[in-house]
Amino acid sequence: MARPDIDQSFADLSYEAMADAALSKAQSLNVSYADFRFERLKGQLINMRDLQLEGLVTSESLGFAVRLVKDGSWGFAASVELSPEAAARAVEQATDVARTLSSLNSEPVELADEPTYEDSFVSSYDIDPFSVPDEEKVSFLKGINEKVLASKKADHVDFALSQVLENKFFASLSGSKITQQRVRLQGNFDAVRVDKDSGAFDTMRSNAVPVGKGWEYISSEYDFMADAEEIPSLLEEKMASKSVDPGPYDLVIDPTNLWLTIHESIGHATELDRALGYEAAYAGTSFATIDNLGKLQYGSPVMHVTGDRLAENGLASVGYDDEGVAAQQWDIIKDGVLVGYQLNRQMAEKQGFGRSNGCAFADSPLHVPLQRMPNVSLQPGQKNLSLDDLIDGVDRGIYIVGDKSWSIDMQRYNFQFTGQRFYEIRSGKIIGQLKDVAYQATTTDFWNSMEAVGGPSTYLLGGAFNCGKGQPGQIAPVSHGAPVALFRQINVLNTTHEGGSS
Amino acid sequence: MKIQDTMEKILQLSKADECIVISEESSNANVRWANNTTTTNGVAEARKLHVISTKNKRVGVVGRTYFPDDQLEDLVRESEAACEDKPEAEDYAPLIEGISNDGWSESLDRIGIEVFSNFAPELAQVFKEAESSDTKLFGFADHSTSAVYLATSSGMRLGHMQGEGKLEVNAKSSDYSRSSWVGQATSTFRDIDLSRHYERLQQRLGWAEKKLDLDPGHYEVLLEPSAVTDMLLYSYWTSLARDADEGRTVFSKPGGGNRKGEQLYPDHVTIYSDPSEPGFEVSPFQVVPTSNSQASVFDNGLACDRTEWVSRGVLQNLVTPRYWADKTEGPAVPFIDNLIFPSNGPSLDDMISSTRRALLVTCLWYIREVDPQTLLLTGLTRDGVFLVEDGEVKGAVNNFRFNMSPVGMLAQAHELGASEPTLAREFGDYFTFAKAPPVRVADWNMSSVSQAT
């Protein structure tokens, strides 16, 4: 796929002059480290509800940040005022921050080395979504709305479509100058069915995934119309289906559901900042503490999990992270054993890893880069097992498709997930849908119960736009690849029973 | 150019049928710490301008953070052009006319890192005390000032200034096996009493020196105000009239319509919002950059009056944009950014003293919707669950995953304590100002044990 050029309207902005002003000011103040980051975020959100355009807003955010280390303490200042003078003033403010808070700092900041780069990076996409007329987008959403409602099996439909064009310029005192451009979008509809007499209702969502692609994903790659045809009938069938009997089941989990379980129980658990306690007051810590590295049997021997910032169309894929570290790929879990973490430059130095693996990210020019999640993916098996192969090996189980509700504790032990659809498996065959299903487990028990993973043909890159972490709160886009996988004897709850009193 | 002048110029440039201009500016300082040392910090100045144009009842919205004078006309034309290829807006309503307030002429009171000039040395001292008592501290101090302005072609000129901040502190024993948490919302950051918070944290760590293991099951619980507020906020965000009228929420009535007027909770439950509640002041008018299921751009400027959501246990109001109010022939009821659950009941200590057996829950975490039909939520207890027996705290117990509905919680709210300002542990990021009592709930489903400490 040919890569587009950096958007000229971004390249025309005067960020290099601002960077020069900031970094020369920083040098004059004898800081041991300084970087300048300039960002433009173009976003568009479209909501259509029951054939009516509920909202369409197109936004553009521009701003910059200066981050520096003065006398061993971090200082950070950011602004939306765009001038060399404002950039130099931000350096003074950041220095003031470092000085004011220096009495609170007992660990002088040191960063792992990284070569300097003068480079640019553009993610792979064909059609800039901001080049597509609103009319075409609205017409597309309306067509899907019409199809869903025409089924007479759904009473309501909501379609939300979000598109982002992200540009970043990074320059450091050590000499890096990096310009990057990424595109991403996510869209899905929810069909809603209401039984007015009983008051019962339920929803079902289409199966598209958030992607680091352009409008081509909507216009020619993902078949939303097929979902619009199929989902209302599936929803009707689900509402009429049997309520699950709670208890242990073998689960065959589709990548449309498993990506989120990977995200919560592996992705966050192997963030080194969590393992070191940096997120203890907020997002939480991790059971996978650093003394477990190379020892913890995280999962079964078929479990191979990688971290990367390189995957084609991955939401966390970049050329360089927000500390100027080049994108990489590495093992996190190999043969079921914990072998790697997600790092930034400070933690890489502190823990003796030698080099960061490039996981620093800030969601806005006004926020500090944190250690954020790369694409964390469960690799497919060597044997090319299919979905049918896995179902064939289940006597009594459930095949789970699509993500819905999710929750996990602050050390990433105990989780509970639901899904969009649950298919009952008996004697190796799917016999119909179930409803009111949630699965609940402890992370290492769950992954050690994984008996088999599907082959490359079952692999799908799922993900999210809005992974939350940090204070002030930040969101991050991240992808997770997974094959279909088979888990033995996982605890399944009936959510209706859960809501009842004793 | 002052932002008000920029907004006036935009209105002058507008060739649309109607034009709404919204400006939001803020100034922020924050510091974060872990293991008794700082981790991240910073100051940031932000602003955003939205121009909303209408033509033949079609809406075009454009947002910008960068809008120099020589680009204003392009911004206005872009907003107008965005109307051209759109369908008529379902939520169209004529703009509210001609109201103004003194806030329009006020300016943002910017802050810098000096907002922590007194707090930083206090925190440094507390770090020293923590080090000497085998305690690790983690937390976040954050303060912002913000200014929002609204100007419309129908003559509205409104402004609102606000201070908004918070302190969160988590204390752990050095082996991380015991943990406690406190949080405080603030509008000035001058009312933070760190030493009082630290005493409470140490009291709770002391309670946790004795550990007890309990099985999952249904328990009587004493929820502290933070936990109560997190549950209430989810319910508040779900209290949307249109969704209820369409049969999509727990507040929908079988057969059609919504459950307004139904006695859902005991008589002693009243919950309201009031933008002028002393100590909890928030914007007294609606600001809506883009229409969504909660509010419409045509609600901009709508006055936020004191609104009782629940009156003596009866569901009284649901959030209703103007267009939906018109369609259903009822009043428009805007969402308001504070939540007050009043009660003059006993103190938490007195509630503990009168308890035969219950779990005392400090706060909740990772709360997500499981079943919208009943508004069943799942989540975790965090940083302090204690067994209370015969009027005394016996020790800390393991954390649990719960599955509960806030509607069910309030229906079983057998005893309310004394209301106090509180910070929702999880949703405090999105909703700062709340007041709630500790609540005794008779039957709370602790679905499974969490090993997290």
Side-chain angles (χ1 to χ4, degrees), chain B residues 179-200:
Chain B
S179 190
S180 58
W181 176 87
V182 293
Q184 180 184 341
T186 175
S187 57
T188 63
F189 213 82
R190 290 191 295 271
D191 53 353
I192 299 289
D193 184 348
L194 188 59
S195 58
R196 180 174 62 85
H197 289 311
Y198 187 64
E199 274 177 33
R200 182 185 166 93

Side-chain angles (χ1 to χ4, degrees), chain B residues 3 17 28 127-128 130 149-150 180-181 227 239 329 342 354 362 385 430 436:
Chain B
I3 187 65
D17 295 344
N28 173 269
F127 282 171
K128 281 184 190 163
Y149 302 99
L150 175 66
S180 58
W181 176 87
S239 300
E329 299 181 342
S354 64
T362 305
V385 185
Y430 316 104

